[in-house]
Amino acid sequence: MPDYHDDLRLAHVLADAADSTTMERFKALDLKVETKPDMTPVSEADKAAEELIRGSLQRTRPRDAVLGEEFGSEGSGPRRWVVDPIDGTKNYVRGVPVWATLIALMERGEGGDRPVVGVVSAPALGRRWWAAEGLGAYTGRSLSSATRLAVSRVSRLSDASFAYSSLSGWEERGKLNGFLDLTRACWRTRGYGDFWPYMMVAEGSVDICAEPELSLWDMAANAVIVQEAGGRFTGLDGVPGPNSGDAAASNGLLHGAMLDHLRS
């Protein structure tokens, strides 16, 4: 099995630098915010953090490709870094502390590209999560001060906590009825949104979560963390990994039941 220790350490260095950049402008009164063609916001901090990460990767991993939300794809090859400089920009620009920088390394294999390293850093919450293939998933302040993550053992939907992002996305895609049926079948539902529910699945404090429309940079880091914590991460089609354009994550025991509802 390949050794991803060096890549994981680099991802932490990149996250440290991004955290400094994003926190410096968080809640700034003169923060510049634009609207992208897809009508989503982008701030100067999004762009600055991604430029910083790309510059560092160009120096340290010049042979690797990079895909980022703000500046697209660059390079080619079997290894690709996937970056969301601020996941939760709407929260960021409103001063809500639930946002994070997502950094993943994907590697090409027989079954296609898969995430092998992931770091999710939420500096305004004072939290960070990370994982590497074969090394497990962890949370803590640093690599040397960390707690290993493990998903829950809840095995019935009636006992499960379900996290989601919004109702509108399910309604726009004609999947609202299945979504509502799932919420009724679960013990508890909460709309945490963005990266956070996936991290709570990995921690075992939430049992299932799902979103109906996502990009690769929204999912790659989350996927490897959930999987290394013992959970499952698939598309709503059940295909493993972050390549389906939507996502379902669980402790594994509830995955089939969750997908049955969301497909109906």
Side-chain angles (χ1 to χ4, degrees), residues 175-187:
K175 298 180 179 181
L176 183 59
N177 288 338
F179 170 84
L180 292 175
D181 284 344
L182 177 58
T183 65
R184 297 182 187 109
C186 292
W187 164 64

Side-chain angles (χ1 to χ4, degrees), residues 24-177:
E24 183 179 352
R25 300 300 292 154
F26 184 50
K27 295 188 178 181
L29 296 178
D30 60 344
L31 180 72
K32 296 177 182 177
V33 182
E34 303 170 3
T35 300
K36 294 190 286 189
D38 63 0
M39 301 308 293
T40 60
V42 57
S43 75
E44 60 181 278
D46 291 80
K47 294 179 179 180
E50 185 170 324
E51 286 177 331
L52 185 153
I53 292 170
R54 284 175 176 270
S56 295
L57 288 171
Q58 206 168 47
R59 293 189 298 273
T60 58
R61 297 290 191 275
R63 295 183 180 180
D64 293 351
V66 181
L67 171 66
E69 179 176 10
E70 307 308 335
F71 298 106
S73 183
E74 183 178 2
S76 60
R79 288 165 48 100
R80 178 170 58 162
W81 294 87
V82 180
V83 178
D84 189 344
I86 299 179
D87 182 49
T89 298
K90 292 178 182 178
N91 283 344
Y92 184 89
V93 301
R94 289 296 302 271
V96 178
V98 183
W99 50 271
T101 295
L102 278 53
I103 301 170
L105 173 63
M106 298 190 70
E107 197 165 82
R108 191 167 302 153
E110 292 183 2
D113 291 356
R114 72 189 192 283
V116 295
V117 171
V119 171
V120 173
S121 189
L125 294 175
R127 299 294 310 276
R128 184 177 291 186
W129 304 261
W130 65 89
E133 187 176 82
L135 300 178
Y138 298 85
T139 185
R141 300 185 67 175
S142 68
L143 282 167
S144 59
S145 177
T147 301
R148 188 155 188 171
L149 301 177
V151 296
S152 74
R153 302 302 299 168
V154 173
S155 59
R156 297 188 305 178
L157 283 179
S158 58
D159 298 325
S161 180
F162 170 41
Y164 61 93
S165 55
S166 71
L167 295 176
S168 59
W170 298 98
E171 186 173 26
E172 289 165 3
R173 287 154 192 82
K175 298 180 179 181
L176 183 59
N177 288 338

Side-chain angles (χ1 to χ4, degrees), residues 154-158 160-164 170 175 177-183 185-186 188-189 197-198 201 206-212 226 231-238 246-264:
V154 173
S155 59
R156 297 188 305 178
L157 283 179
S158 58
S161 180
F162 170 41
Y164 61 93
W170 298 98
K175 298 180 179 181
N177 288 338
F179 170 84
L180 292 175
D181 284 344
L182 177 58
T183 65
C186 292
R188 191 169 189 259
T189 59
Y198 301 98
V201 168
V206 164
D207 308 301
I208 57 175
C209 66
E211 291 183 88
V226 169
R232 285 186 65 189
F233 190 106
T234 73
L236 298 179
D237 54 10
D246 45 40
S250 76
N251 63 3
L253 301 175
L254 298 166
H255 210 82
M258 171 176 59
L259 291 182
D260 286 345
H261 280 281
L262 295 177
R263 288 168 174 165
S264 65

